[in-house]
Amino acid sequence: MNRKYLLRKLFLEWVIVSSPFIYSDIKYNNWVFFVAVAGFLVAQWYRAKAIGKIIAWYEY
């Protein structure tokens, strides 16, 4: 229940999940998954905002 490192944790999760897709895009010169990886990054940002609100409810 700590918001201090929430963005770091979600960014690390994004890197771990997205790295195979980024690697395959670069290795095979196929740029299909970059849109999905960017969308996942935006989704993680919105997820951080939602998790922050939930944590704020329980801090009171």
Side-chain angles (χ1 to χ4, degrees):
M1 295 299 231
N2 190 355
R3 287 189 283 178
K4 186 175 180 182
Y5 299 111
L6 179 62
L7 284 176
R8 284 186 192 168
K9 290 176 184 177
L10 290 176
F11 182 74
L12 180 63
E13 180 182 344
W14 174 79
V15 168
I16 291 170
V17 170
S18 299
S19 60
F21 297 108
I22 293 172
Y23 173 76
S24 66
D25 283 348
I26 293 170
K27 182 176 180 182
Y28 298 114
N29 199 16
N30 188 8
W31 305 98
V32 175
F33 287 114
F34 272 126
V35 175
V37 168
F40 183 53
L41 180 62
V42 171
Q44 289 289 76
W45 182 69
Y46 280 118
R47 185 175 167 205
K49 289 174 62 175
I51 292 172
K53 287 179 183 178
I54 293 169
I55 291 172
W57 288 342
Y58 286 107
E59 286 179 345
Y60 291 117

